[in-house]
Structures are given as C-alpha cells and as structure tokens.
Amino acid sequence: MFLESKRGILFVKPMADVPSLTISPSSKESGEWVQPSPPRPLPISSLRTLTIRRWFWWVGVSLVLAVVTLLTCLGFGTESISFSRIWFILVGVMLGTESIHVGTDPTAVILLQVRLPRVLLAFFVGGSLAMVGVALQALLRNPLADPFIIGISSGAALGAAIALLFGVGISVWSVSALPVCAFAGALLALLIMYRISSLGHGFSIYTLLLAGVVLNAIFSAFIMFLTSVADPNRAFGMYAWLMGSLTGPDFFTLGVLALYLGVGLMVLATQAQSLNLLTLGEETARSLGVEVERVKKLVFIAAALLTGAVVSFSGIIGFVGLIVPHAVRLVVSADHRLLLPVAGFVGGMFLMLADTVARTALSPGEFPVGVVTALVGGPVFLYLLTNRSMRVGM
Amino acid sequence: MVDSKNVFSGPAYALRDVTFGYATRAYDQSESVLKDLTCSIDSGKILGILGPNGSGKSTLLKLLARILRPERGTIELFGNPLSLLFQADVARRVALVPQETMQVFPFTIAEMVLMGRFPHHRGWGGWHWEDAEDWRIAHKAMEDLDVTHLGSRLVTDVSGGERQRAVIARALTQEPQVLLLDEPTAFLDLHHQLDIARILRRLNRERSLTVILVSHDLNLASQYCDQLMLLHHGHIVEVGSPQDILRPDLLETVYGCQVLVDRHPQSGLPRVSLPV
C-alpha cells in the first residue's frame, strides 16, 4: 500500500554506519562460503517508537493546526469575515471588552452567536467520532470498525428517537433525557456487535461489517416506524436531525456536550496503553498483564457515552471514525497514546472543514454535513475494503 | 503481594487435579479437555510438552499463563496460587509466545517488543513512558533474537519468521522466570529453528530460565529438552527424560502410527523418524 510503504520509507533512517560485508582472506583461499556477519545493531535512538518528545511534537502540531482550521472556518459563510476582524473580536471577548451575549456590531453577533458555537460543535463531534473509531478498531481488531458502519450510531439514534417522540421527560432536573437514552441505545448496539465479533475464531473482518449492516437496517427500521407514526411536524424535524446536522447550538448546549465528551475521553485516554496491547489479541494481551475484561468494559462504556452524546446533539454523521484514524495511523503512529489525541484533533478539523463546505457550497442554503463526510469517506472505505493489505487476519 | 522471586526453591509450577473444558458450541470443534492433571514442573529446566493434535497441549499452556482458568483444581506458580495473582503479577514472571501473532495495525517491531514492559509499570491502564531501563532490556532481547535491524519495520510487513522472533524478543522483554512457547519453530526455516533452540538453551543455562514449550517437532524436543511430558486425551501419559519418553511402543500407542527411533549421530539422543 502506497501510504504504508511511504511511512516505512519516511521513518527508516539511512544505515550509513553498517559496515560493508567483506570476505576474509582465509575463506577466499579455502573457497568456503562464510556466513555474512549480521549488520551492526543500529543505535537505539534510530528506532521508531514513541518518545515523550515525539508525543509533544505531534500533539502540539495537531493542536496548532486545529486552531488555525477553526479560525479559518470562522471566516467562511454567507457573510465573509476577514481574519484580522475575527482575531480582533475574539481577543476582545477574551479581554472582556466585547460580550458574547449583547452585541451591537452585527459581524460580532454573527461570529460569536452563530458561527463560533457551530464550528466548536463540529470540532467536538468530529474529534469524538474519530476517537471512538480508534477505540472500536483496537477493541474489535478491525481497521474498518466505525461507530456509523457497525451500527452503534443508529443504536444511539434509536434511543434518541424514542426519547424525542415519546417525550421522555425531555429533561429531569435540567439534565436532558436525550443523551441518556442515546447512550443506552449505543451501549445495546455495542454489546450486540461485541457478542458477534467474539463468536469463535473463524469470523472475519467482513462478518463484522455484514453484521453491522444488518444491525443498521434493524435500527433504521425501528426509527422509520417511529417517524411514520409520529405527527408530521415532529417527524420532519427528526429527519433533518437524523441526516446529521450541526445547526443551532448555544453555549449552554456546548457546555453540556463538552461535559459528556470530557468524561468519555478521559476514560479512553487512561486505557491507551491497554488498547495497544489489545490489538495483539485478547489472549496475548492477557499474557502481557492486561486485565482484559475490565479494559473492555471501560472502553465500551466510554465509546457508548461518546457516541450517545454526539448522536443526540448532531444526529448521524458517518465515516469520520473510519478515515481519520486510518490516516493518522499511517502518517503518525499506531501507538494509542499518540493516536488517540492526534486523531481527536484531526477528526475535529475534518468535520469543521466538512461543515464549512456544507454551509457555504450552496450559500445561502445548506445541506447536511453527513452528505460531505459520506461523499469523502465512502470511497475511502471502498478503497480500504478492496485493498490487499486489509486482507490480513481474515 | 508476596514476591517469591528469589526465596522460593520449590518447583516452578504445581498442578493439582486441574480440569478444563471449553464450552461446547455447535461451531466450535476444539473439544480438547484436560482431566484431573496433577504434576509439578521443575524450575530451571526445559520441559517439552508433546502429544497428538487435540491432546490439550496448548490448553495446558494457556492455563499456565492464566489466560484460561481451570474449572477445578489449583495451579501454583512458585508457591502462589495463580487464581489469587493479578494478571500483571503473572506477566512479570511468566511470558507466553503464542503460536501465531496477528496484527492488522502498523506498529513497528520495536514498538511491539517494548510492549513487553507493560506488566512492569503500574498506573492507569499502564500509561507510562518507556525509560532508559526499559529500552536497555528491550534492546538486549532484540539483539539476542537478531531483530534489531528490523526495529523500524512494520509488524505487518515482515515475514512470519521475523515476526515470530520479534514475539520471542517481546517475551524476553517481560524479564520472565518462566517462558512458555506454543510451537516456537513452526514458521521458521532450519537456520532460525536452530537459532531459537540454541537461544532458549543458553537463556536456560545462563539465567536459569524455566522453559516450557509445546512442539510437534519430536527431534527438536529430544535434542533440547531436559524433560518431556507426553499428553494424550487430556491425560499425562508419562513424564521423563527424552530417552524415557521417545520409545517406539509409547509413541505408537499415543500417536497411533508406527515410528522408528534410533540415535542422533552427534548427541546420541533418540531420533524419531517415520517409516517409508
């Protein structure tokens, strides 16, 4: 695979210090073939592994890129805002001279009350989806796992749809029931998928995908049934939400989402090294000292929490959890201590850009961001599916 | 946790009435079951576990590594009941080299070898940065197994034999007292078979590492093992030196086919060959 070999070439240092093989005079005389001496060991520092320096370098780079992307995306829209203007307003907010809530300057109002929350939502959602993708891929040892493809998102959507249509309290003590129901749906879907993936050794990458397709179909059928019996006004709102949209969050909503995501991400982050070992298989991970059952439970709950929260706030957005981890793995590292945070930043960037396309391409109209991610992610998925190097472990 | 690393002088393992069976499912053909296994495994020796397919060899190895838990009976590791130890406690004393390693993600060989340091670090999910000591140990193991030059290559790109050597290096990086190997030479060419066997014997002699290996290669087992254990249908048929175990009559009853046994021209140890 091109990118893979690229990574290999990229990181292998030239072996300038390896002595050239020479045949000793004695062996020349006797005409005996002498086993060539193995190359002198490379210095440790030349081996590609994760070091603290590398970690800070990559996390720093992706953080800077994410901030740049965020500022860029803020500038695009029906009303184009210049970079210096954005900078001026944001710095003003931070210094307290400009307020988020009352503004006389229309540009500042658009920027702070419409665009900033939306772009931030895109960042949170994209980052979370990418990190869930990373975790699921490690847990299922399947590089094609993605919360959307294997049906976790639609499980969460079903939970959320039930909450929406039956109006389950809508909120209890100002805690919305929506994310909780979505979490329950996602957890259910995850447990079903896990049971399927752990049935015997003979099951391949494709079995899991097939099961995901079927699970998706079942959950979608339930959702369609619910929307068809719901009253048309609500049903229309649900359709718009299901397609994946990032419209209209306020800062309070963002704060609640950030809370859910924070908890989920913390749990995933603590399990990074265990996830590394789990990619070797459960038995091997156990023989290396991983308490596999505990790690699995934690990662399941965290993944369901993240997916549930993301889906209840922005509907179903597919493929972010598939293409982002894959790209980051090839370019940066497969080590989850680095992969998780970098994939988070890159996923956020990806969705911010996709959403900017979705809301500006047909300006002043817009289309769901799920369209953009599917149009980019679908072909990548097909490429991975047909690629030779993916046939390992089938 | 009582650390018996240096004070315990008894056997490495003591098994009492160990019984294990896989849950029977329609699609699961492996019904190898161990029945009331009682034995002790000396420390500082190389033990070869032999037996036909489905005799429970690999299952026994997994029980010793605490990957599986026995249904009944107890297993003691250096005097500590395995069931009372944490997984990481076991992993600091016992390393397992599985029959095959599948990896679909692009880890480098060096990264994979360093994973052997996991049980030595406590913390949230083992989150830690490898320090100079970890590096030194990993590097030594990679030197021993001749995989240092592969350090930057991806696990998915190297050959089966190279991967197998890297996995053994990872096991040594755990700094175990007991090394369990499931068919360690199955994917290796002659040159690397000999290498692995010699390395195992050297580690055994120099660091008094206890080696327990499962093998179908009777001749390799004969040359390099101090003791052999013959399993059949989940029972121990016999434990003893290669001369005691590799007898034509015993092998014929267990394997169900005729074999010829003569002496190895160099070592004088039994050599098993199939009739024409």
Side-chain angles (χ1 to χ4, degrees):
Chain A
M1 196 168 150
F2 171 66
L3 274 172
E4 254 172 25
S5 56
K6 190 177 162 195
R7 186 188 168 205
I9 292 164
L10 210 65
F11 291 137
V12 175
K13 296 210 168 163
M15 309 208 312
D17 54 345
V18 174
S20 57
L21 298 173
T22 49
I23 298 169
S24 60
S26 62
S27 67
K28 256 183 197 164
E29 281 159 25
S30 59
E32 245 173 55
W33 185 76
V34 176
Q35 177 98 30
S37 62
R40 184 146 37 93
L42 296 171
I44 295 170
S45 56
S46 74
L47 295 177
R48 297 312 311 176
T49 56
L50 186 57
T51 57
I52 299 181
R53 243 180 63 191
R54 258 191 98 210
W55 192 87
F56 275 109
W57 158 252
W58 277 111
V59 170
V61 165
S62 46
L63 177 66
V64 169
L65 283 177
V67 171
V68 170
T69 312
L70 187 136
L71 292 176
T72 313
C73 289
L74 282 177
F76 286 96
T78 32
E79 188 92 353
S80 161
I81 307 173
S82 74
F83 196 77
S84 55
R85 189 90 184 86
I86 295 170
W87 190 252
F88 179 75
I89 294 171
L90 287 182
V91 170
V93 170
M94 278 175 215
L95 295 177
T97 53
E98 198 106 30
S99 165
I100 290 182
H101 298 291
V102 281
T104 44
D105 178 5
T107 318
V109 172
I110 291 175
L111 183 72
L112 296 175
Q113 293 188 16
V114 182
R115 248 177 241 175
L116 184 62
R118 179 164 180 162
V119 173
L120 279 177
L121 179 64
F123 180 72
F124 286 165
V125 168
S128 306
L129 286 175
M131 288 171 91
V132 171
V134 169
L136 290 181
Q137 286 161 15
L139 209 60
L140 302 170
R141 274 179 304 291
N142 189 330
L144 296 180
D146 165 272
F148 169 70
I149 292 166
I150 63 173
I152 314 303
S153 291
S154 48
L158 179 61
I162 290 173
L164 273 180
L165 291 177
F166 293 98
V168 188
I170 295 304
S171 71
V172 185
W173 296 303
S174 78
V175 175
S176 172
L178 203 61
V180 179
C181 289
F183 167 66
L187 200 58
L188 175 73
L190 254 174
L191 291 179
I192 295 173
M193 280 320 290
Y194 188 73
R195 285 294 300 166
I196 293 172
S197 78
S198 56
L199 289 177
H201 313 288
F203 283 79
S204 72
I205 281 179
Y206 294 140
T207 312
L208 194 73
L209 297 179
L210 218 52
V213 169
V214 174
L215 201 62
N216 248 326
I218 294 172
F219 285 134
S220 304
F222 273 117
I223 294 172
M224 273 194 282
F225 172 72
L226 287 176
T227 43
S228 65
V229 297
D231 88 277
N233 277 334
R234 272 189 170 175
F236 182 76
M238 275 205 36
Y239 273 128
W241 165 74
L242 278 175
M243 278 193 288
S245 73
L246 296 162
T247 41
D250 54 37
F251 279 100
F252 178 74
T253 321
L254 276 180
V256 174
L257 178 63
L259 206 66
Y260 279 106
L261 299 188
V263 173
L265 297 182
M266 279 296 289
V267 174
L268 280 192
T270 58
Q271 301 306 313
Q273 182 75 319
S274 300
L275 286 175
N276 281 343
L277 279 91
L278 269 175
T279 63
L280 298 164
E282 280 181 27
E283 291 192 344
T284 307
R286 200 166 283 157
S287 80
L288 282 161
V290 180
E291 302 281 350
V292 172
E293 296 306 320
R294 198 192 59 190
V295 174
K296 270 180 355 196
K297 265 182 223 149
L298 281 173
V299 174
F300 271 140
I301 291 171
L305 188 70
L306 286 167
T307 314
V310 162
V311 166
S312 65
F313 281 96
S314 65
I316 297 179
I317 298 173
F319 295 105
V320 180
L322 175 86
I323 51 176
V324 173
H326 197 82
V328 175
R329 230 181 246 120
L330 291 183
V331 177
V332 181
S333 171
D335 192 316
H336 288 78
R337 288 170 293 180
L338 184 55
L339 177 59
L340 274 170
V342 174
F345 284 122
V346 175
M349 275 187 263
F350 174 66
L351 203 61
M352 284 193 290
L353 290 172
D355 185 50
T356 305
V357 171
R359 66 190 162 83
T360 54
L362 293 179
S363 178
E366 63 172 69
F367 49 90
V369 65
V371 173
V372 182
T373 58
L375 286 181
V376 177
V380 174
F381 177 80
L382 289 179
Y383 168 72
L384 293 179
L385 199 62
T386 50
N387 195 283
R388 242 164 221 286
S389 68
M390 299 303 299
R391 302 220 176 120
V392 197
M394 286 189 341
Chain B
M1 192 55 52
V2 183
D3 201 327
S4 54
K5 261 189 177 179
N6 301 316
V7 291
F8 191 75
S9 56
Y13 278 104
L15 283 72
R16 251 189 309 279
D17 302 323
V18 171
T19 300
F20 182 86
Y22 291 101
T24 318
R25 291 178 188 147
Y27 53 80
D28 197 343
Q29 298 298 314
S30 60
E31 263 211 66
S32 51
V33 181
L34 295 173
K35 300 169 198 105
D36 296 322
L37 229 61
T38 301
C39 66
S40 73
I41 297 171
D42 293 340
S43 70
K45 294 269 167 59
I46 301 182
L47 173 74
I49 302 177
L50 309 176
N53 292 331
S55 56
K57 306 185 296 289
S58 297
T59 306
L60 177 58
L61 221 53
K62 285 176 186 172
L63 284 169
L64 296 181
R66 199 174 175 272
I67 289 172
L68 301 173
R69 311 283 189 90
E71 260 165 42
R72 275 185 287 116
T74 55
I75 303 176
E76 284 185 5
L77 171 65
F78 295 111
N80 299 313
L82 264 192
S83 54
L84 298 183
L85 295 176
F86 287 109
Q87 202 70 54
D89 292 323
V90 179
R92 262 179 275 129
R93 296 178 175 85
V94 182
L96 173 75
V97 177
Q99 196 163 4
E100 53 187 329
T101 300
M102 301 246 239
Q103 179 59 275
V104 289
F105 299 112
F107 283 96
T108 63
I109 292 282
E111 280 170 342
M112 193 186 71
V113 173
L114 269 177
M115 286 181 193
R117 298 307 295 163
F118 179 86
H120 292 271
H121 293 273
R122 289 307 181 94
W124 291 5
W127 180 287
H128 64 91
W129 300 102
E130 288 82 11
D131 54 25
E133 174 74 357
D134 294 329
W135 259 114
R136 191 186 58 71
I137 294 159
H139 195 238
K140 175 87 174 59
M142 287 168 77
E143 294 276 275
D144 283 344
L145 271 298
D146 186 22
V147 289
T148 319
H149 61 289
L150 300 172
S152 298
R153 298 269 300 278
L154 298 183
V155 182
T156 44
D157 288 349
V158 299
S159 74
E162 289 169 332
R163 187 156 53 233
Q164 180 73 345
R165 272 147 58 209
V167 170
I168 297 177
R170 184 187 69 205
L172 293 182
T173 306
Q174 286 173 255
E175 291 197 301
Q177 292 158 281
V178 180
L179 184 60
L180 309 173
L181 304 104
D182 197 351
E183 297 281 359
T185 55
F187 296 111
L188 301 178
D189 55 29
L190 283 178
H191 172 74
H192 282 114
Q193 278 187 22
L194 191 65
D195 265 3
I196 298 286
R198 282 180 177 160
I199 287 164
L200 291 180
R201 189 157 63 183
R202 185 161 58 81
L203 291 167
N204 168 258
R205 302 285 183 260
E206 285 175 6
R207 307 182 197 171
S208 63
L209 179 74
T210 308
V211 178
I212 302 172
L213 60 91
V214 161
S215 185
H216 276 302
D217 190 337
L218 300 184
N219 289 319
L220 202 78
S222 164
Q223 297 303 316
Y224 289 92
C225 292
D226 302 314
Q227 272 189 325
L228 296 179
M229 178 191 284
L230 194 57
L231 284 185
H232 192 36
H233 293 317
H235 292 288
I236 297 175
V237 179
E238 211 169 314
V239 183
S241 68
Q243 287 90 338
D244 297 336
I245 300 297
L246 300 174
R247 301 190 323 251
D249 54 319
L250 202 56
L251 294 179
E252 264 178 57
T253 39
V254 170
Y255 284 94
C257 72
Q258 206 194 344
V259 295
L260 306 170
V261 178
D262 59 357
R263 298 202 167 275
H264 187 276
Q266 263 187 323
S267 64
L269 288 159
R271 184 174 63 175
V272 182
S273 34
L274 293 169
V276 187

